[in-house]
């Protein structure tokens, strides 16, 4: 339920973009805020909420803008950690299947990094031009209005992010338990070992990882950022160790065949059909997902004009280098047929090197997933916070802790939805049905970037990308969005229906606000919001005219 405890100014959109974090009328806005808080509490006749807010008034910094605590190192760790999850350990099989040759596979991984860099350039312009957290949601709402923004948030908040969050945690649970359970079966070609962990144990570990990281993110923003730096550093060291071990390890007979295959005819049998190449890129770009995560926390990044560009120039090339070296390591030990037959390329690769390395690899993958869970929680909770601040989710989700400024209600809601997604057994199918939404959203964002250059032409931009890049990325995104409709039309149509189901929700909750025509429901919503403030010690962020 959406509520409006604070009135907004008519020229708030202009102030948002031009002033960003620091406007000239801060003191007047604070006085207006105090008056609004008093009127809100007195109108509701809530002694508890009045006493609570009155206690923390005065010079309380929670009524000011969000403090910028994320520096360059933290920003790079967040983006790299968001990108490098489980994809590089699993998806090479699907890339090789579509590309058909080693040389073409490596080129697809390289050009996947180039596409991510181009997309990052577009988001760098948006992140330095629109000084507001929320990422794609904020850009869509500013460019095309609240209706398009709501449709994106409808599917992203309630389905896409919780599903991907749950799958990451389940992957963590699978690989964390894998060393403790013996093989129960081998593939017909004797190359792929099958593990069958108890699903209840896997889900318990998945839920534990979510709860632990939720607690860390609620306690302190700096602590969560430091945890991300630690796990991202571990990922880079793990990739380096894998590549080095693959180069210095004495080769077995099969590995020698793989090395010979790598040195000769690397482009033999390359795919030439647009469909096969497109599917190869689609699998690669899944492994690169997360390159836009920094835009979800724009308001928390120190000196965004500088750090957005440096984060892009460091993180994407670094990830691309890691991915290419990992694939070279795979191809130096495994033949193309072994990669195609493997369900988990990294595990098959490690078992070919040595039994010890085969035992260590599951831990590397699980810890990589753990770091990605933290990055996903950190960024996606800010997106939910932003949606609530734009009055398209309950306003209690747009509150932060008065000391740490962590968006605790949004973090807890994000974790709760992910835990719910652990209950069904086919959550992966739902995510596959809706993956085209992500690329469709990107295409709208790139179009929105071009449109905003006309709509907000007079507002200066610290960074401006060549217009050909967003045009190119729009075409690429639309192509990737169309691939699921070609390969799985029925499931994709179902996903489209899920998106369109948000239309009646928009008119009921946002446009008409029918729920607020009931005084009882409106007062109940206010009571719940005030109770959350008291229990979690959170307050609304109202230091600027935030709403677009």
């Amino acid at each position: 339920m959406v509520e409006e405890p604070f009135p907004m100014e008519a020229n708030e959109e202009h102030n948002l973009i031009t002033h960003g974090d620091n406007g000239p009328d801060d003191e007047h806005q604070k006085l207006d805020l105090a008056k609004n808080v008093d009127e809100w509490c007195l109108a509701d006749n809530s002694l508890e909420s009045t006493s609570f807010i009155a206690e923390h008034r005065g010079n309380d910094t929670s009524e000011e803008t969000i403090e910028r605590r994320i520096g360059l190192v933290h920003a790079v760790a967040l983006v790299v950690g968001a990108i490098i999850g489980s994809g590089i350990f699993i998806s090479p099989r699907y890339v090789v299947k579509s590309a058909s040759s080693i040389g073409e596979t490596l080129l697809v991984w390289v050009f996947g990094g180039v596409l991510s860099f181009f997309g990052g350039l577009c988001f760098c312009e948006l992140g330095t031009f629109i000084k507001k957290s929320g990422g794609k949601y904020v850009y869509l709402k500013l460019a095309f209005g609240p209706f398009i923004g709501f449709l994106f948030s409808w599917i992203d908040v309630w389905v896409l992010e919780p599903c991907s969050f749950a799958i990451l945690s389940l992957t963590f649970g699978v690989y964390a338990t894998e060393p403790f359970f013996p093989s129960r079966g081998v593939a017909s070609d004797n190359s792929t070992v099958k593990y069958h962990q108890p699903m209840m144990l896997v889900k318990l570990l998945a839920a534990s990882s979510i709860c632990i990281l939720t607690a860390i993110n609620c306690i302190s923003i700096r602590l969560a950022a430091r945890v991300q730096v630690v796990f991202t550093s571990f990922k880079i060291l793990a990739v380096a160790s894998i590549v080095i071990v693959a180069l210095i390890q004495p080769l077995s007979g099969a590995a020698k065949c793989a090395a010979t295959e790598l040195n000769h005819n690397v482009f033999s049998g390359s795919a030439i059909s647009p469909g096969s190449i497109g599917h190869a890129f689609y699998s690669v770009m899944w492994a690169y997902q997360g390159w836009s995560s920094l835009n979800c926390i724009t308001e928390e990044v120190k000196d965004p004009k500088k750090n957005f560009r440096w984060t892009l120039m460091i993180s994407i090339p670094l990830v691309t280098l890691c991915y290419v070296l990992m694939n070279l390591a795979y191809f130096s030990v495994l033949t193309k047929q072994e990669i195609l037959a493997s369900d988990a390329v990294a595990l098959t690769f490690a078992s070919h090197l040595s039994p010890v390395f085969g035992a260590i690899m599951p831990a590397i993958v699980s810890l990589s997933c753990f770091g990605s869970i933290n990055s996903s929680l950190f960024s996606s909770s800010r997106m939910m916070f932003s949606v609530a601040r734009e009055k398209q989710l309950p306003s209690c989700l747009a509150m932060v802790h008065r000391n740490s400024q962590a968006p605790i209600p949004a973090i807890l809601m994000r974790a709760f939805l992910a835990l719910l997604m652990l209950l069904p057994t086919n959550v992966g199918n739902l995510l596959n049905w809706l993956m085209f939404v992500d690329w469709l959203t990107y295409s709208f964002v790139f179009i929105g970037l071009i449109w905003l250059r006309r709509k907000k032409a007079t507002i200066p931009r610290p960074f401006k990308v060549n217009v050909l890049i967003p045009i190119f990325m729009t075409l690429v995104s639309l192509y990737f969005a169309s691939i699921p409709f070609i390969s799985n039309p029925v499931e994709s149509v179902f996903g489209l229906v899920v998106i369109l189901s948000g239309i009646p929700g928009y008119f009921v909750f946002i446009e008409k606000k029918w729920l607020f025509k009931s005084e009882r429901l409106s007062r109940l919503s206010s009571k719940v919001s005030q109770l959350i403030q008291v229990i979690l010690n959170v307050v609304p962020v109202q230091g600027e005219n935030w709403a677009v």
Side-chain angles (χ1 to χ4, degrees):
M1 184 181 299
V2 184
E3 51 190 295
E4 300 186 24
F6 298 102
M8 294 293 174
E9 299 292 336
N11 63 344
E12 53 196 14
E13 178 178 309
H14 179 73
N15 289 342
L16 157 71
I17 302 176
T18 55
H19 295 124
D21 313 300
N22 301 297
D25 300 325
D26 284 350
E27 297 302 323
H28 294 291
Q29 291 174 359
K30 291 178 185 177
L31 293 175
D32 292 341
L33 169 66
K35 180 181 177 181
N36 292 337
V37 169
D38 290 339
E39 292 176 353
W40 172 47
C41 296
L42 293 174
D44 189 66
N45 295 321
S46 174
L47 178 60
E48 293 83 2
S49 64
T50 306
S51 301
F52 173 78
I53 298 177
E55 177 185 351
H56 300 299
R57 283 182 55 206
N59 295 323
D60 186 5
T61 58
S62 61
E63 294 184 358
E64 299 177 358
T65 57
I66 297 175
E67 182 181 348
R68 296 184 179 274
R69 310 185 187 195
I70 305 300
L72 178 61
V73 174
H74 296 141
V76 171
L78 178 72
V79 175
V80 174
I83 297 175
I84 303 179
S86 62
I88 187 58
F89 304 105
I90 300 173
S91 61
R93 170 194 179 187
Y94 304 101
V95 181
V96 173
K97 182 179 179 180
S98 299
S100 301
S101 74
I102 296 175
E104 190 173 25
T105 297
L106 295 175
L107 285 179
V108 169
W109 282 100
V110 171
F111 283 109
V114 173
L115 290 178
S116 299
F117 189 80
F118 283 170
L121 288 174
C122 297
F123 273 73
C124 184
E125 176 177 336
L126 290 167
T128 54
F129 159 54
I130 303 171
K131 301 176 176 64
K132 195 171 187 182
S133 297
K136 291 179 285 186
Y137 164 75
V138 169
Y139 308 148
L140 290 174
K141 186 172 183 289
L142 181 60
F144 304 110
F147 175 66
I148 297 298
F150 178 84
L151 284 184
F152 162 73
S153 66
W154 172 269
I155 198 69
D156 196 79
V157 168
W158 301 110
V159 182
L160 279 182
E161 285 293 343
C163 282
S164 60
F165 200 178
I167 289 175
L168 264 177
S169 62
L170 287 172
T171 306
F172 162 79
V174 167
Y175 283 97
T177 58
E178 190 157 342
F180 304 101
F181 292 88
S183 169
R184 296 187 183 181
V186 180
S188 58
D189 57 0
N190 295 323
S191 63
T192 306
V193 179
K194 303 291 185 181
Y195 290 90
H196 299 274
Q197 300 89 336
M199 185 51 62
M200 185 59 67
L201 177 60
V202 170
K203 289 190 175 183
L204 181 62
L205 284 175
S208 299
S209 68
I210 293 174
C211 293
I212 291 171
L213 290 172
T214 298
I216 291 174
N217 277 266
C218 288
I219 291 172
S220 169
I221 293 176
R222 286 194 175 95
L223 177 60
R226 288 167 184 165
V227 167
Q228 191 59 49
V229 171
V230 170
F231 278 93
T232 299
S233 302
F234 168 80
K235 292 182 185 186
I236 301 301
L237 292 175
V239 169
S241 65
I242 289 171
V243 173
I244 292 172
V245 169
L247 293 177
I248 67 175
Q249 184 75 13
L251 297 179
S252 63
K256 288 179 181 179
C257 294
T260 302
E261 187 179 75
L262 180 61
N263 292 327
H264 299 87
N265 301 321
V266 291
F267 287 97
S268 177
S270 297
I272 58 175
S273 68
S276 297
I277 297 174
H279 278 87
F281 270 103
Y282 192 81
S283 299
V284 162
M285 295 310 294
W286 175 72
Y288 276 102
Q289 285 292 332
W291 48 265
S292 63
S293 56
L294 189 63
N295 294 68
C296 292
I297 60 167
T298 302
E299 294 165 35
E300 299 177 59
V301 178
K302 298 177 181 178
D303 193 4
K305 295 179 182 179
K306 180 183 72 174
N307 284 334
F308 261 85
R309 282 177 282 184
W310 277 108
T311 300
L312 174 66
M313 289 188 288
I314 295 173
S315 58
I316 303 300
L318 178 61
V319 171
T320 304
L321 178 64
C322 289
Y323 281 180
V324 172
L325 291 177
M326 282 286 289
N327 277 273
L328 283 172
Y330 292 153
F331 285 125
S332 68
V333 175
L334 303 175
T335 64
K336 186 173 72 174
Q337 289 70 28
E338 287 173 327
I339 292 176
L340 291 173
S342 175
D343 290 328
V345 176
L347 300 188
T348 306
F349 161 82
S351 63
H352 274 60
L353 287 177
S354 69
V356 175
F357 204 61
I360 295 175
M361 182 59 76
I364 293 177
V365 179
S366 62
L367 290 176
S368 177
C369 292
F370 192 81
S372 294
I373 296 170
N374 184 66
S375 178
S376 174
L377 179 61
F378 194 96
S379 58
S380 64
S381 61
R382 271 61 175 181
M383 201 276 287
M384 178 179 284
F385 166 87
S386 179
V387 177
R389 194 169 58 183
E390 303 301 330
K391 303 185 182 303
Q392 293 192 348
L393 280 177
S395 62
C396 60
L397 296 176
M399 298 181 184
V400 299
H401 191 271
R402 61 181 301 266
N403 295 323
S404 69
Q405 291 194 330
I408 293 179
I411 293 173
L412 293 177
M413 177 58 74
R414 172 62 72 217
F416 174 72
L417 293 175
L419 291 173
L420 285 182
M421 288 297 178
L422 293 178
L423 298 178
T425 58
N426 59 345
V427 62
N429 293 336
L430 181 60
L431 184 63
N432 290 333
W433 295 343
L434 296 169
M435 276 303 294
F436 76 92
V437 177
D438 213 23
W439 285 110
L440 188 63
T441 303
Y442 277 124
S443 66
F444 272 82
V445 172
F446 296 134
I447 294 172
L449 170 59
I450 301 171
W451 171 241
L452 285 173
R453 289 189 178 183
R454 294 178 58 87
K455 184 179 179 182
K456 305 293 179 184
T458 59
I459 299 175
R461 289 161 171 76
F463 176 81
K464 195 171 183 179
V465 70
N466 189 293
V467 71
L468 294 178
I469 293 180
I471 293 175
F472 172 71
M473 290 305 299
T474 299
L475 298 176
V476 170
S477 300
L478 289 174
Y479 175 69
F480 285 149
S482 67
I483 289 178
F485 283 92
I486 298 173
S487 57
N488 298 296
V490 177
E491 292 85 351
S492 299
V493 169
F494 170 78
L496 192 61
V497 170
V498 174
I499 298 175
L500 297 178
S501 67
I503 295 177
Y506 174 80
F507 285 100
V508 170
F509 296 102
I510 309 301
E511 182 70 19
K512 301 299 182 182
K513 300 180 181 180
W514 286 343
L515 290 179
F516 290 100
K517 295 180 180 179
S518 170
E519 183 178 352
R520 179 178 298 180
L521 289 176
S522 182
R523 290 179 63 85
L524 176 62
S525 176
S526 296
K527 292 287 186 182
V528 171
S529 182
Q530 294 154 16
L531 182 63
I532 290 174
Q533 284 188 263
V534 174
I535 294 176
L536 299 180
N537 194 17
V538 293
V539 291
V541 177
Q542 296 289 335
E544 288 285 339
N545 290 324
W546 292 111
V548 174

